[in-house]
Amino acid sequence: MKIEVRNLSKKYKDNHALKNISFNLEEPKIYGLLGRNGAGKTTFMDILSGQILASDGQILIDGENPFDNQRLTESICLIKEGHNFRKDLKVKNVLKIYSFFYPNWDQDLAEALIKEYNLNLNSKVKTLSKGMESALGITVGLASKAPITIFDEPYIGLDAPSRKKFYEIMLEEYQAEKRTIIFSTHLIDEVSLLFEEVLILQEGSLILQEESEILRDNTVAVSGTIEEVEAFLSDKEVIEKKQLAGMMTAYVYGNMEEAKMQGLHVEGIPIQELMIYLTERKKGA
Amino acid sequence: MRKSLDENKPIFLQIKEQLEDSIIDGNMKAGERVPSTNEFAAYYKINPATAAKGINELVSESILFKRRGVGMFVTEDAKEILIKKYKKSFYNNYVLPLKNEARKLRINENELMEMVKREDNQ
């Protein structure tokens, strides 16, 4: 499903959570939605899933507004970091409700995940630990098979092996059937290899949208003497630089081969680091 | 197959180079089937589109060819093509850094030549 975001703004009293952002998500891909706390990620996902209204502008999904739109709501599944389910429901009832709601619901997958995460079907949501509740969220999100599945920091309290399992199954499901997965997390290093495209929000604005491989290909950290590095930087956009004892490391938009040819020490920049430098830089600017 | 990939480099390049290495080393021979996009993706936990990019570049360079519905295979000329390609970059990738390091350590040209010619101990 095609997602068009047009001049989208959201204001909470004096706080501009989203400031006139526009972009498209054209194809079913795994998208990483990144940004610091308060960047507007959750607000965006709430509007996308039709849970709240924009103050200005709109999101169109296959040309339609998702708010109060039955056909679209059953195509979108948003799993948040908590409070996804009513506390007094039993696990099996949660599954039942969602299975009625989502036309593509995969009961076999739901059961396999319940078993994988050792969830008791007869437990009430309020008795689940944080990690268990997250596991239930992940189960619903994956089994919904919604053409647009959104995970907003879905694994609070979930241990590392369980998160790993989640990534594996998400990848398997995505391989079996492409769908749009929007993934927002602060544990970027763990999942960044799964992202096909990355979006970074900063203080309500979109500061980057790019394929992750193009990012890895076009951003480099170069080190050398201050003169050498400065010479390399002359015609480039610098993200960040630091120096120590006559040596300098600079993070720039540039090509690895070119930097190597100039005898500089060259490394790529993992997406997590890139996000950190970009959002630190833009803050003061 | 390496245990994991290096996030400091484009992932598709590493998939590509890994296959190239296996072909040059002779671990993968002409006519052999290479792992599929999905197999690479599952093994390294990477986006399948990324793995596909690496494999597709090898197809366009005639290192691999596609048999519809069966998979990707190493071409007859793959090894020769790769050796030619890597020879071209050998100077930049190996000789140039060697010379730079030698200069730093004040190893002159004669000393360096001597070392290059020296018989390996084994």
Side-chain angles (χ1 to χ4, degrees):
Chain A
M1 296 180 106
K2 185 178 172 181
I3 300 171
E4 293 166 87
V5 180
R6 292 193 188 151
N7 305 106
L8 189 71
S9 295
K10 179 70 186 177
K11 236 169 84 176
Y12 296 102
K13 288 191 179 147
D14 293 335
N15 176 23
H16 292 260
L18 292 173
K19 299 174 193 162
N20 194 27
I21 58 172
S22 298
F23 59 90
N24 292 340
L25 304 181
E26 302 273 350
E27 285 172 67
K29 287 183 186 173
I30 302 179
Y31 296 91
L33 179 63
L34 313 176
R36 314 264 304 258
N37 296 321
K41 305 183 297 285
T42 297
T43 302
F44 167 71
M45 290 182 275
D46 282 344
I47 300 174
L48 175 64
S49 54
Q51 313 222 334
I52 58 171
L53 272 166
S55 309
D56 217 338
Q58 55 184 349
I59 295 182
L60 295 176
I61 300 174
D62 282 352
E64 290 178 46
N65 189 327
F67 191 78
D68 214 7
N69 183 328
Q70 170 74 27
R71 188 185 78 84
L72 284 181
T73 350
E74 59 183 40
S75 305
I76 304 169
C77 183
L78 168 66
I79 299 297
K80 306 176 133 209
E81 62 180 311
H83 310 294
N84 286 299
F85 314 109
R86 273 185 34 208
K87 297 276 174 211
D88 54 345
L89 287 176
K90 286 182 175 171
V91 169
K92 63 179 175 192
N93 296 331
V94 168
L95 297 183
K96 184 135 271 165
I97 290 168
Y98 279 85
S99 74
F100 288 141
F101 189 76
Y102 288 107
N104 298 340
W105 179 264
D106 184 339
Q107 185 62 24
D108 290 345
L109 178 63
E111 281 168 18
L113 284 161
I114 291 294
K115 211 169 151 203
E116 175 68 42
Y117 288 121
N118 277 321
L119 286 167
N120 183 343
L121 285 170
N122 289 311
S123 300
K124 282 191 173 174
V125 170
K126 66 179 162 206
T127 68
L128 298 177
S129 68
K130 272 216 158 82
M132 288 290 192
E133 201 182 328
S134 293
L136 181 59
I138 284 167
T139 300
V140 168
L142 290 173
S144 75
K145 296 229 164 146
I148 298 175
T149 305
I150 310 165
F151 290 110
D152 182 9
E153 204 73 63
Y155 37 44
I156 301 300
L158 207 61
D159 59 27
S162 304
R163 294 200 299 272
K164 180 163 171 274
K165 201 72 210 170
F166 166 47
Y167 302 140
E168 281 173 14
I169 296 170
M170 181 172 82
L171 181 60
E172 268 171 36
E173 285 304 310
Y174 177 74
Q175 284 182 306
E177 197 171 347
K178 297 261 184 299
R179 67 210 240 205
T180 295
I181 296 177
I182 298 173
F183 202 115
S184 177
T185 178
H186 294 298
L187 302 176
I188 303 170
D189 273 345
E190 285 191 1
V191 272
S192 60
L193 293 184
L194 294 180
F195 300 153
E196 187 170 346
E197 197 170 313
V198 173
L199 298 103
I200 300 181
L201 287 177
Q202 169 74 348
E203 293 175 351
S205 302
L206 181 77
I207 59 168
L208 181 139
Q209 179 183 17
E210 190 57 273
E211 276 177 39
S212 32
E213 283 290 274
I214 292 181
L215 278 182
R216 287 191 194 97
D217 218 1
N218 292 299
T219 54
V220 286
V222 294
S223 310
T225 64
I226 294 176
E227 298 83 59
E228 283 170 346
V229 174
E230 287 289 4
F232 178 75
L233 298 182
S234 62
D235 58 341
K236 293 184 181 60
E237 192 185 338
V238 181
I239 300 165
E240 166 84 9
K241 52 186 177 180
K242 51 188 182 191
Q243 38 180 291
L244 178 74
M247 303 297 281
M248 180 184 272
T249 296
Y251 298 80
V252 286
Y253 290 101
N255 179 275
M256 266 193 181
E257 291 308 312
E258 188 193 343
K260 255 189 224 161
M261 291 295 278
Q262 301 197 11
L264 294 163
H265 180 73
V266 192
E267 279 176 278
I269 311 174
I271 287 170
Q272 172 150 315
E273 266 186 66
L274 189 69
M275 189 287 250
I276 293 171
Y277 293 127
L278 280 174
T279 55
E280 278 178 347
R281 180 182 68 147
K282 297 273 155 118
K283 211 177 172 103
Chain B
M1 218 53 36
R2 282 157 52 188
K3 177 175 152 282
S4 61
L5 299 170
D6 176 3
E7 232 233 292
N8 283 315
K9 266 179 83 175
I11 304 304
F12 81 94
L13 262 188
Q14 297 178 61
I15 296 292
K16 191 179 167 192
E17 286 170 359
Q18 225 178 93
L19 283 169
E20 289 178 337
D21 272 347
S22 305
I23 294 169
I24 292 178
D25 291 347
N27 288 330
M28 288 220 155
K29 299 196 170 50
E32 237 178 88
R33 190 183 84 89
V34 303
S36 68
T37 299
N38 280 349
E39 286 167 328
F40 270 115
Y43 187 88
Y44 287 116
K45 318 266 184 305
I46 56 175
N47 192 293
T50 310
K53 193 173 171 194
I55 289 175
N56 289 338
E57 283 206 358
L58 289 172
V59 172
S60 68
E61 291 169 24
S62 306
I63 308 296
L64 301 179
F65 70 100
K66 192 185 215 162
R67 270 199 210 133
R68 211 158 275 289
V70 192
M72 295 287 183
F73 296 82
V74 179
T75 60
E76 216 45 56
D77 305 328
K79 191 168 176 174
E80 286 312 309
I81 297 173
L82 287 173
I83 288 177
K84 232 182 247 168
K85 173 175 147 188
Y86 274 83
K87 255 190 190 167
K88 268 194 201 149
S89 53
F90 183 75
Y91 182 82
N92 283 339
N93 287 344
Y94 296 95
V95 182
L96 210 56
L98 178 79
K99 284 167 77 172
N100 284 338
E101 187 69 13
R103 199 171 311 125
K104 250 192 257 172
L105 301 176
R106 301 197 195 122
I107 297 171
N108 68 32
E109 213 169 292
N110 288 337
E111 285 173 289
L112 189 61
M113 283 309 293
E114 206 135 293
M115 285 188 218
V116 171
K117 283 185 201 152
R118 190 190 296 164
E119 293 286 330
D120 294 344
N121 286 335
Q122 287 304 320

